[in-house]
Amino acid sequence: MNAPVPHLDTLAASDPQAALTEIGRRLRAGTMIPFLGPGLIDLAEPQIPTTPEALAAFFATKVAMPRRAKGNAWASAQHIESHKHRSTVTALMAEAFASPVKPTPLHRHLASLPLPLIVDAWYDGAMRAALGGRSDWGEVQGITRAGIGEDRWYRFYDSAGNEAGRAAADAWTTVLYKPHGAVTPAKNFLISDADYVEVLTEIDIQTPIPDVVKDRRSDRSFVFLGCRFNDQLLRTYARQITKRSAPRHYVVIEPGPLSNNELRFLAEQGLIPVVVPLARAAEALIAG
């Protein structure tokens, strides 16, 4: 039997402004890690898909989809991979995310801080672009293991976009972690069901999560910005990336209804909702 569905009002921070003040202070102190979802780039009015559903709709404009795959980005990519080729999936993902996304003011604010870790859970390059004025950072991206012939779960890239060794990451002031891959700098994409089957078989024992991420999340909290948890895959990644970190986390939630699964997830994971429009929250975090 499913657990009772908690009410958002009972979970949410009673004083959103005070919560935002604490989040801003802890970001500046480096004791809180931003976890960015595609909702953040919506503030930049991008010309790319900003939800899994929108990405599935893009795939459907390119390839006829069976009913079971319609509306599901991961199943749509798997259908294309199975009936076309993996290279077709990569080419379509590159096309979907070809339009550069201008970093929002919050991206630029985060880039100005010596944060030890930034998690960015979408395929765009806005956070990389925001960090472009610095040279003391690097990126680690999840990669598909399909056809690469290597026992690797991720790759490292320096601030110039050149592939780096994992030892280099220890010296970076800021690590940008893109668990699903990204269009920049090398078009790495985890997107098909087959990609995720491999990851999800081992993610509970943390093998696909880079050591540098495990080290830097220790004793730190997370704040989720522009994220939704209405998909089991997204909930799994959020749960596993935040594992063994500090117990108190925040999530900025746009006013409006949430699914029962989302509400249960917030309660189970101890995520404190700050119910304010993301644009307002961004302004407050930047203002300090």
Side-chain angles (χ1 to χ4, degrees):
M1 182 179 293
N2 287 332
V5 179
H7 292 287
L8 181 59
D9 288 346
T10 65
L11 300 173
S14 58
D15 186 341
Q17 186 56 52
L20 290 171
T21 298
E22 179 187 347
I23 293 166
R25 175 184 60 79
R26 295 192 60 192
L27 286 171
R28 292 190 299 275
T31 61
M32 182 163 279
I33 297 166
F35 193 120
L36 311 180
L40 181 56
I41 61 171
D42 267 337
L43 300 181
E45 301 181 355
Q47 303 301 308
I48 63 169
T50 58
T51 65
E53 295 78 13
L55 181 54
F58 169 81
F59 285 140
T61 67
K62 304 297 181 179
V63 177
M65 292 292 167
R67 181 177 300 177
R68 62 175 177 77
K70 288 182 178 178
N72 184 305
W74 338 120
S76 296
Q78 186 61 51
H79 174 77
I80 296 168
E81 184 172 311
S82 299
H83 291 81
K84 303 280 186 179
H85 193 272
R86 177 68 195 197
S87 61
T88 305
V89 176
T90 300
L92 289 177
M93 284 292 288
E95 180 181 346
F97 292 93
S99 180
V101 178
K102 182 180 179 180
T104 68
L106 183 54
H107 283 104
R108 297 197 182 282
H109 174 66
L110 296 174
S112 74
L113 304 176
L115 289 161
L117 177 66
I118 300 170
V119 181
D120 187 348
W122 201 233
Y123 303 101
D124 63 282
M127 194 65 236
R128 167 170 273 274
L131 287 160
R134 293 169 48 185
S135 60
D136 61 341
W137 68 279
E139 185 172 358
V140 54
Q141 296 186 353
I143 61 171
T144 179
R145 286 153 61 92
I148 67 171
E150 303 172 44
D151 186 22
R152 299 171 69 182
W153 298 96
Y154 39 81
R155 287 196 172 105
F156 297 88
Y157 299 91
D158 64 20
S159 59
N162 301 312
E163 189 166 353
R166 66 180 62 204
D170 292 333
W172 293 334
T173 300
T174 298
V175 171
L176 173 60
Y177 179 36
K178 302 279 282 189
H180 304 281
V183 67
T184 55
K187 299 181 176 63
N188 294 312
F189 303 113
L190 269 77
I191 181 60
S192 70
D193 281 337
D195 291 340
Y196 286 113
V197 164
E198 288 215 349
V199 175
L200 295 177
T201 57
E202 297 203 31
I203 198 168
D204 191 52
I205 59 173
Q206 299 279 287
T207 309
I209 298 180
D211 288 341
V212 68
V213 173
K214 299 176 194 174
D215 292 342
R216 295 187 183 213
R217 74 186 175 189
S218 180
D219 299 325
R220 292 185 170 98
S221 301
F222 284 79
V223 56
F224 292 85
L225 300 161
C227 298
R228 289 294 301 266
F229 307 109
N230 53 346
D231 183 284
Q232 178 62 32
L233 177 67
L234 302 179
R235 293 193 293 272
T236 297
Y237 263 78
R239 182 184 300 112
Q240 295 299 335
I241 290 171
T242 61
K243 185 180 281 189
R244 302 190 185 98
S245 59
R248 181 182 175 91
H249 310 295
Y250 287 98
V251 53
V252 173
I253 297 286
E254 293 278 354
L258 298 179
S259 69
N260 289 346
N261 282 334
E262 287 180 285
L263 290 167
R264 290 191 181 100
F265 179 77
L266 296 179
E268 291 165 1
Q269 297 302 306
L271 301 181
I272 302 171
V274 182
V275 185
V276 295
L278 182 57
R280 176 183 152 196
E283 290 175 357
L285 294 176
I286 294 167

